[in-house]
């Protein structure tokens, strides 16, 4: 019964997204939808390494940026066909993920955060310094868009990009759902929950972790390429704090370690941040406050809210609100 | 001998610029290491605090602001930074201590804090670029090369402040209590040390150090909300390299990174230095995951 | 019944959601020294962590010298003179013996008297005087235990809780430690001592409590002298 409901919900979710452009042709709505879908892909693939893998990988957004820049540079400057964009983006992103993962294999906890974070920042420094190649501060502009014959993906309010992004999201959801139930996924979760035990039971730590990183990097690479071709530019902001914090808040808001939580988080947050657009930079202040409040009062994200409400209704104050609190 | 002279010249210029960089890194990394050491969390607002302090100093000191002079500006900025540190600890760190995922949670809350401070700075001070006056005018000759007086102050200030911090931690009651809390939180509580208070003090001191670093930087570079971004990264590298939390390691790490960067910049140019730095850093971590002075 | 220095009533506590103490009640009268025995993992250390404020009491009350201290901050409880020397003598490993002792006297009152107190500690444990400049991580297990007790004394306790002070010590060291504790008691400090070996407590405690399954299961008072056999019976009869 529950699985039927679940399937129905999934079908309905994608049906709505597929049908949306047929009902609504507004270019603003189209843009927001594309951005929300792209965020959903980024955040739910991040969930593979951060949520299921429990590896504090802060380089995920950098993989996205690396994919975008690689696509931009190779298709614009070196004349590759835009159709190579996505393979290039994926290859660059996966290569970057393996480079980051190598030192991470031997590190734990805070070191992982620091190294992955440092990776993103150093990519940024390289981008800023290699001005001829990357456009430096101003970003890389005029990246060639995708076209089939005379049809440009930009035609009809970017309908091509919309469906391309949606297809990638569908693929992401399929892969993450498969991952969550696969033997491979179990191994990853086992490593997260009890590394020494998992290793002693024969889970190969290095290989599993490298594969986790590489798998989760495929999607930001793909989306990075499409994003670069969609907005026709890649900017150093993609490595920035703000972007990272925003994506992280989506993951948190949705709740890590579930398939649908991060996707819900991405949609809710994209829409929320559009609603707050009139506030200008003030919306970032609201976002920051919101993240902290969520962490403080709903440590499990959106998924934790029903539980919290139920607890309030029962009026039970004896049970601790935060079971994570330790001695 | 011409070649010998030019080699000497190369070394002199590397030495001078390396010393300036290293001293800046010492100032930045010290606070980061202090907080890590005491609270076991990484404070990602450190860079934003640098920017905030630089802005405050500018507002207080600059003729277009309150025009109270640089000295007042510096003091005000350090006080504001310390106060911000207090507030950050109270709002973003203290409520979460004791949770299992505190390391990750603190990264997120302090990142949000940095996000908040940087955007507030943008709202308050606008995008126009500002710069602080140098502390002193004129140049100083050291080791055969010329550096600005301001840079000379940075070079002197870094070891002096480290000495001060060391003496504080070593010889005062509060300092001992901060070290005690870092080593054994429960036993410190059982000894009558108010742990939360020590955390707040350590945080405020670290923030004040960040503020000072920001002011120093604000006279060399332009003040933007992102002023502290790249320095924060360097400070992170320094702290990891030194072995998390080890003060001597942090100082050594700062000088290694500073001189390494100066050397690499001289021979390879600024273009490739960042990449080289990162590759060396990754290689080093693979070989010695616990840093120079790190414990298992 | 004489006045109670410590009065614990219906105390419930535990870790996370797991209860460890199940409504434990007991009192310590003025002038009394209490020995606690009982199997490991049945709540003795949890009891002390709750008494000293490290762990929240879920329900029940703790009164010390007539005043309620339930869920007060640890520092305040220490300042009142209820001092808990924890098990496992972890100390501050990278501080010197002297620094450890000074921190034991962190509260205002004891801080003012630290020079006098430290002389007493050194008189009790002369070995610590020799090692005062040494880092605690370089000390032997017995020496660390002495430092731990010394730290407790530095806080000028009225009631000193010693949680398994002899853990892992040789018989010879145990005897030395027993004499030291006897001297502490003689100086007017009341104690609660946890010990697995009833023999050790024999001459120190005036009353015994058996703690198991999170409550006090039995007690014997010291009137008429404590017979070793009765303690052993009590211990093994219930566990």
């Amino acid at each position: 019964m529950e699985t039927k409901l679940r399937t129905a919900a999934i079908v309905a979710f994608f049906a709505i997204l597929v049908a949306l452009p047929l009902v609504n042709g507004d270019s603003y709505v189209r843009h927001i939808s594309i951005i929300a879908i792209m965020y959903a892909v980024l955040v739910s693939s991040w969930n593979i390494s951060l949520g299921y893998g429990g590896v504090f990988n802060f380089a995920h957004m950098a993989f996205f940026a690396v994919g975008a820049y690689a696509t931009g540079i190779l298709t614009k400057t070196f004349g590759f066909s835009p159709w190579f964009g996505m393979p290039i983006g994926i290859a660059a992103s996966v290569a970057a993920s393996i480079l980051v993962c190598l030192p991470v294999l031997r590190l734990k906890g805070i070191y992982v955060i620091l190294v992955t974070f440092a990776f993103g920042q150093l990519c940024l420094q390289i981008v800023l310094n290699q001005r001829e190649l990357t456009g430096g501060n101003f970003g890389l502009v005029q990246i060639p868009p995708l076209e089939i014959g005379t049809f440009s993906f930009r035609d009809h309010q970017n309908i091509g990009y919309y469906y391309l992004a949606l297809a990638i999201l569908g693929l992401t959801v399929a892969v993450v759902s498969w991952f969550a139930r696969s033997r491979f996924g179990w191994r990853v979760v086992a490593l997260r929950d009890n590394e020494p035990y998992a290793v002693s039971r024969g889970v190969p730590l290095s290989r599993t972790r490298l594969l986790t990183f590489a798998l989760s990097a495929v999607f930001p690479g793909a989306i990075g390429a499409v994003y670069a071709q969609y907005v026709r530019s890649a900017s150093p902001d993609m490595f920035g704090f703000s972007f990272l914090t925003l994506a992280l808040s989506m993951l948190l808001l949705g709740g890590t370690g579930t398939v649908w939580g991060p996707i819900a988080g991405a949609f809710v947050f994209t829409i929320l941040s559009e609603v707050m657009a009139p506030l200008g930079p003030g919306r970032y202040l609201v976002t920051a406050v919101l993240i902290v409040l969520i962490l403080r009062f709903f440590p499990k994200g959106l998924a934790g809210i029903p539980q919290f409400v139920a607890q309030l209704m029962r009026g039970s104050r004896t049970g601790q609100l935060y079971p994570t609190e330790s001695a | 001998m011409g070649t010998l002279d030019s080699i000497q010249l190369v070394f002199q210029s590397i030495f001078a610029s390396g010393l300036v960089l290293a001293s800046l890194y010492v100032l930045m990394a010290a606070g980061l290491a202090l907080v890590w050491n005491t609270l076991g969390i990484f404070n990602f607002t450190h860079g934003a605090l640098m920017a905030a302090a630089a802005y405050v100093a500018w507002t207080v000191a600059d003729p277009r602001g309150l025009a109270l002079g640089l000295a007042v500006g510096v003091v005000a900025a350090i006080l504001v930074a310390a106060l911000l540190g207090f507030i950050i600890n109270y709002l973003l760190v203290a409520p979460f201590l004791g949770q299992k995922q505190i390391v990750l949670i603190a990264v997120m809350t302090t990142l949000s804090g940095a996000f908040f401070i940087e955007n507030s700075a943008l709202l308050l001070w606008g995008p126009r670029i500002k710069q602080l006056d140098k502390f002193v005018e004129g140049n100083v000759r050291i080791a055969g090369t010329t550096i600005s007086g301001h840079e000379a102050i940075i070079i002197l200030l870094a070891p002096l402040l480290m000495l001060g911090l060391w003496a504080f931690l070593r010889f005062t009651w509060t300092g001992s209590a901060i070290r005690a809390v870092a080593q054994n939180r429960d036993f410190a509580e059982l000894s009558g040390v108010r742990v939360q208070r020590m955390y707040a003090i350590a945080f405020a001191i670290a923030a004040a150090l960040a503020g000072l670093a920001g002011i120093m930087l604000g006279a060399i570079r332009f003040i933007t909300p992102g002023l502290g971004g790249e320095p924060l990264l360097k400070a992170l590298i320094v702290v990891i390299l030194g072995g998390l939390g080890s003060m001597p390691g942090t100082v050594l790490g700062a000088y290694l990174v500073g001189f390494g960067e100066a050397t690499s910049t001289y021979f390879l140019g600024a273009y490739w230095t960042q990449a080289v730095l990162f590759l060396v850093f990754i290689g080093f971590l693979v070989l010695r995951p616990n840093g120079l002075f790190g414990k298992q | 019944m004489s006045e109670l220095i410590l009065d614990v009533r219906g105390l419930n506590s535990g870790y996370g959601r797991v209860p460890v103490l199940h409504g434990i009640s007991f009192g310590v009268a003025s002038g009394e020294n209490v020995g606690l025995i009982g199997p490991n993992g049945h709540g003795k250390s949890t009891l002390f962590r709750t008494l000293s404020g490290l762990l929240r009491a879920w329900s029940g009350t703790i009164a010390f010298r007539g005043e309620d201290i339930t869920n007060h901050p640890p520092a305040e409880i220490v300042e009142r003179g209820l001092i808990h020397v924890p098990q496992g003598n972890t100390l501050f490993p990278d501080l010197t013996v002297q620094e450890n002792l000074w921190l034991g006297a962190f509260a205002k009152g004891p801080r003012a008297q630290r020079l006098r107190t430290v002389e007493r500690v050194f008189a009790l444990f002369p070995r610590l005087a020799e090692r005062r400049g040494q880092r605690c991580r370089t000390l032997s297990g017995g020496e660390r235990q002495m430092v731990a007790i010394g730290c407790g004394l530095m806080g000028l306790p009225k009631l000193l809780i010693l949680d398994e002070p002899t853990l892992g010590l040789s018989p010879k060291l145990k005897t030395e430690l027993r004499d030291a504790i006897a001297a502490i008691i003689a100086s007017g400090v009341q104690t609660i001592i946890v010990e697995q070996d009833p023999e050790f407590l024999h001459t120190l405690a005036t009353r015994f409590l058996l703690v198991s399954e999170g409550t006090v299961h039995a007690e014997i008072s010291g009137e008429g002298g404590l017979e070793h056999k009765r303690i052993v019976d009590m211990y093994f009869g219930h566990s």
Side-chain angles (χ1 to χ4, degrees):
Chain A
M1 185 64 205
E2 204 176 302
T3 48
K4 262 187 190 167
L5 209 71
R6 222 182 120 79
T7 322
I10 294 169
V11 170
F13 174 77
F14 278 106
I16 291 170
L17 285 180
V18 169
L20 186 67
L22 309 175
V23 202
N24 187 316
D26 183 54
S27 66
Y28 175 68
V29 172
R30 183 69 44 80
H31 175 68
I32 301 308
S33 324
I34 294 176
I35 295 298
I37 291 171
M38 286 182 167
Y39 267 125
V41 172
L42 288 176
V43 175
S44 66
S45 59
W46 196 359
N47 198 15
I48 295 177
S49 57
L50 189 80
Y52 291 102
V55 180
F56 299 164
N57 165 24
F58 275 60
H60 198 73
M61 293 300 125
F63 299 159
F64 163 74
V66 164
Y69 268 101
T71 301
I73 291 168
L74 286 183
T75 58
K76 180 195 169 190
T77 317
F78 292 94
F80 281 75
S81 152
W83 287 101
F84 282 114
M86 212 191 295
I88 290 168
I90 293 174
S93 169
V94 170
S97 77
I98 288 171
L99 182 68
V100 175
C101 196
L102 284 175
V104 164
L105 287 178
R106 289 194 58 190
L107 303 174
K108 283 197 176 70
I110 187 74
Y111 287 98
V112 177
I113 298 180
L114 298 181
V115 169
T116 51
F117 181 78
F119 174 78
Q121 293 301 301
L122 274 153
C123 286
L124 172 65
Q125 295 300 321
I126 292 169
V127 163
L128 290 180
N129 283 325
Q130 303 299 313
R131 226 161 278 134
E132 288 97 14
L133 211 54
T134 61
N137 251 325
F138 302 102
L140 188 66
V141 290
Q142 289 179 322
I143 294 171
L146 281 174
E147 279 157 357
I148 307 177
T150 55
F151 172 75
S152 165
F153 272 55
R154 298 172 68 81
D155 293 346
H156 305 287
Q157 277 82 36
N158 295 304
I159 196 153
Y161 289 114
Y162 179 86
Y163 281 116
L164 185 55
L166 187 57
I168 297 175
L169 177 61
L171 200 67
T172 312
V173 171
V175 169
V176 175
S177 308
W178 164 80
F179 171 81
R181 287 175 214 174
S182 68
R183 278 179 76 86
F184 175 55
W186 287 352
R187 287 178 172 181
V188 170
V189 172
L191 273 181
R192 173 191 74 185
D193 290 343
N194 192 341
E195 189 181 302
Y197 182 67
V199 169
S200 76
R201 292 297 301 267
V203 177
L205 174 72
S206 304
R207 212 176 67 201
T208 310
R209 199 145 279 172
L210 270 170
L211 281 173
T212 314
F213 260 66
L215 177 67
S216 81
V218 167
F219 304 96
I223 275 298
V226 177
Y227 178 82
Q229 293 171 333
Y230 166 54
V231 299
R232 301 197 58 197
S233 68
S235 89
D237 291 344
M238 294 162 79
F239 290 104
F241 260 119
S242 319
F243 184 52
L244 181 71
T245 317
L246 215 66
L248 195 59
S249 60
M250 290 172 180
L251 188 55
L252 278 175
L253 187 78
T256 53
T258 61
V259 177
W260 289 94
I263 292 172
F267 277 87
V268 169
F269 236 77
T270 311
I271 294 164
L272 207 67
S273 111
E274 282 312 314
V275 171
M276 291 192 297
L279 295 175
R283 72 181 147 153
Y284 297 123
L285 305 188
V286 178
T287 309
V289 172
L290 217 55
I291 296 171
V292 175
L293 288 179
I294 290 168
L295 280 169
R296 180 80 182 88
F297 297 107
F298 305 105
K300 285 180 181 165
L302 286 178
I305 291 178
Q307 201 187 333
F308 174 76
V309 172
Q311 205 158 28
L312 278 187
M313 305 252 279
R314 262 187 274 122
S316 94
R317 271 352 213 135
T318 47
Q320 278 165 295
L321 213 54
Y322 309 107
T324 42
E325 197 173 305
S326 67
Chain B
M1 286 293 283
T3 39
L4 262 183
D5 280 351
S6 62
I7 288 173
Q8 196 191 349
L9 211 65
V10 167
F11 272 111
Q12 282 166 352
S13 98
I14 289 176
F15 182 74
S17 62
L19 203 54
V20 174
L21 284 174
S23 308
L24 275 172
Y25 297 157
V26 166
L27 288 179
M28 293 158 193
L32 215 51
L34 178 66
V35 168
W36 169 261
N37 213 351
T38 315
L39 285 90
I41 62 138
F42 244 93
N43 174 20
F44 278 88
T45 59
H46 209 70
L49 283 170
M50 290 166 62
Y55 273 117
V56 170
W58 182 88
T59 301
V60 175
D62 199 84
R64 281 159 290 178
L66 302 174
L68 293 173
L70 192 58
V72 183
V74 168
V75 173
I78 291 173
L79 289 179
V80 168
L83 182 69
L84 280 175
F86 242 96
I87 296 170
I88 289 165
N89 177 57
Y90 183 74
L91 292 178
L92 303 182
V93 180
F96 302 96
L97 285 173
Q99 291 193 17
K100 238 194 288 175
Q101 296 275 43
I102 176 65
V103 172
L104 182 61
I105 291 172
V107 171
M108 292 172 181
T109 55
T110 55
L111 263 180
S112 305
F115 195 48
F116 189 91
I117 296 173
E118 283 179 13
N119 282 294
S120 305
L122 197 61
L123 278 175
L124 289 171
W125 282 283
R128 268 189 64 180
I129 288 170
K130 298 169 176 59
Q131 192 165 31
L132 281 168
D133 287 339
K134 303 241 182 316
F135 279 32
V136 287
E137 291 303 322
N139 295 319
V140 180
R141 282 187 67 83
I142 57 156
T145 41
T146 308
I147 57 168
S148 75
H150 185 82
E151 288 171 329
I153 287 184
I154 294 175
I155 291 174
L156 285 177
L157 204 56
L160 281 180
L161 272 171
M162 282 306 95
L163 204 64
L165 186 62
W166 173 78
F168 167 75
L169 290 174
R170 182 75 182 72
F171 297 116
T172 66
W173 281 93
T174 309
S176 305
I178 286 175
R179 286 193 297 153
V181 168
Q183 290 177 27
N184 189 342
R185 186 191 155 141
D186 276 1
F187 196 58
E189 287 209 86
L190 291 177
S191 305
V193 174
R194 284 180 165 78
V195 170
Q196 293 295 348
R197 191 178 294 171
M198 296 308 138
Y199 285 165
I201 293 172
F203 222 103
I205 292 173
L209 284 170
L212 191 69
I215 298 165
M216 288 297 166
L217 211 57
I220 306 177
R221 301 182 190 174
F222 295 114
I223 306 174
T224 63
L227 172 78
E230 186 250 326
L232 172 68
L233 172 70
K234 292 288 165 53
L236 286 179
I237 292 180
V238 164
V239 173
I240 300 174
L241 204 61
L244 283 176
S246 154
M247 278 293 171
T250 303
V251 174
L252 185 64
Y255 283 94
L256 277 179
V257 172
F259 284 115
E261 198 179 337
T263 311
S264 163
T265 307
Y266 190 90
F267 289 110
L268 304 170
Y271 263 37
W272 291 107
T273 293
Q274 308 291 346
V276 167
L277 202 62
F278 188 51
L279 286 177
V280 170
F281 172 63
I282 286 191
F284 174 83
L285 269 184
V286 170
L287 294 175
R288 269 197 77 104
N290 292 306
L292 291 169
F293 282 66
K295 298 179 204 93
Q296 281 295 331
Chain C
M1 195 163 176
S2 64
E3 195 193 323
L4 291 179
I5 183 166
L6 181 70
D7 189 5
V8 177
R9 290 194 189 167
L11 199 60
N12 282 295
S13 181
Y15 299 94
R17 286 165 193 258
V18 184
V20 178
L21 299 182
H22 300 276
I24 191 166
S25 297
F26 70 95
V28 178
S30 291
E32 233 186 353
N33 289 290
V34 174
L36 277 191
I37 51 178
N40 281 326
H42 279 237
K44 294 187 306 279
S45 294
T46 309
L47 170 65
F48 297 150
R49 290 177 68 84
T50 315
L51 291 183
S52 53
L54 287 182
L55 208 59
R56 276 193 79 74
W58 297 354
S59 64
T61 59
I62 307 160
F64 182 62
R65 303 171 77 213
E67 288 170 60
D68 182 65
I69 57 161
T70 321
N71 292 333
H72 282 216
E76 192 206 307
I77 293 170
V78 169
E79 279 159 29
R80 286 169 183 263
L82 174 59
I83 295 183
H84 164 198
V85 177
Q87 199 181 46
N89 54 56
T90 42
L91 305 170
F92 306 119
D94 288 323
L95 301 188
T96 63
V97 169
Q98 175 128 14
E99 284 174 316
N100 268 273
L101 290 174
W102 275 176
L103 280 160
F106 193 76
K108 279 246 149 48
R111 196 186 290 189
Q113 295 189 42
R114 67 184 186 280
L115 292 172
R116 209 175 326 146
T117 326
V118 84
E119 286 313 312
R120 279 177 45 206
V121 172
F122 285 157
L124 207 56
F125 304 114
R127 223 179 311 175
L128 296 189
E130 297 162 24
R131 305 239 188 282
R132 67 174 82 185
Q134 221 168 302
R135 284 177 184 216
C136 284
R137 72 162 67 248
T138 65
L139 299 181
S140 72
E143 288 163 344
R144 282 188 215 182
Q145 194 55 58
M146 293 174 195
V147 176
I149 296 174
C151 285
L153 289 175
M154 290 301 293
L156 302 177
K158 308 233 164 32
L159 179 61
L160 187 65
I161 298 172
L162 301 173
D163 194 353
E164 295 215 39
T166 63
L167 199 71
L169 297 191
S170 70
K172 182 173 166 286
L173 273 173
K174 261 178 151 174
T175 316
E176 268 184 55
L177 201 62
R178 188 181 58 195
D179 295 344
I181 294 172
I184 293 168
I185 291 170
S187 76
V189 177
Q190 278 185 251
T191 53
I192 299 178
I193 307 168
V194 173
E195 181 50 56
Q196 298 295 338
D197 171 15
E199 189 92 47
F200 181 84
L201 292 173
H202 195 212
T203 53
L204 298 174
T206 45
R207 193 156 63 98
F208 283 81
L209 300 175
L210 172 71
V211 175
S212 81
E213 290 164 7
T215 57
V216 174
H217 256 221
E219 67 169 276
I220 25 172
S221 69
E223 282 153 40
L226 289 162
E227 299 160 45
H228 184 213
K229 187 181 169 305
R230 277 177 64 204
I231 303 168
V232 172
D233 280 352
M234 179 176 109
Y235 195 176
F236 293 104
H238 283 82
S239 56

